[in-house]
Amino acid sequence: MKWKTPKAPKPCKFLPGEALVLSGDALLEIAESHKWFFHGARLMHSAALKNMSLTVVRARIADGYIRRADLNPDWIVFERERFARLDKASKAAIIGEVA
């Protein structure tokens, strides 16, 4: 009855990082990058933040509501272990090599 045991959830890919400081650099980081940010507790891509009005984005940055998203080291370990469990043909297909 292994299927009845609770499975541990996989770790989150991103963790909230440091809050953006209201400056031109923060606005340029949002406008010119293809990064992920936390808008409160919600993960948002910079493209979604670009669609918001400048007034709202500036107010949210000033309140410390928009934070950078950092990769979770536990997620990296989880993905490496998951990749290691694959068979050789699957690994070769992911890497792009001929099996």
Side-chain angles (χ1 to χ4, degrees), residues 2-86:
K2 197 172 190 179
W3 55 273
K4 285 191 175 183
T5 59
K7 288 177 64 176
K10 69 178 185 177
C12 302
K13 185 174 183 176
F14 293 105
L15 295 174
E18 63 184 33
L20 295 179
V21 178
L22 183 59
S23 67
D25 293 335
L27 294 173
L28 281 174
E29 183 177 355
I30 292 172
E32 295 180 348
S33 69
H34 296 285
K35 295 181 180 178
W36 290 92
F37 296 91
F38 275 94
H39 183 256
R42 184 175 180 193
L43 189 63
M44 292 183 86
H45 194 266
S46 60
L49 291 171
K50 284 185 239 180
N51 289 330
M52 299 170 77
S53 73
L54 182 59
T55 307
V56 170
V57 172
R58 287 180 52 134
R60 299 294 180 157
I61 291 174
D63 293 340
Y65 201 67
I66 298 178
R67 306 176 71 81
R68 287 184 181 89
D70 297 330
L71 273 174
N72 185 355
D74 293 337
W75 178 80
I76 296 170
V77 170
F78 171 78
E79 287 294 323
R80 283 184 180 156
E81 290 173 356
R82 194 167 81 161
F83 184 76
R85 288 192 303 261
L86 293 174

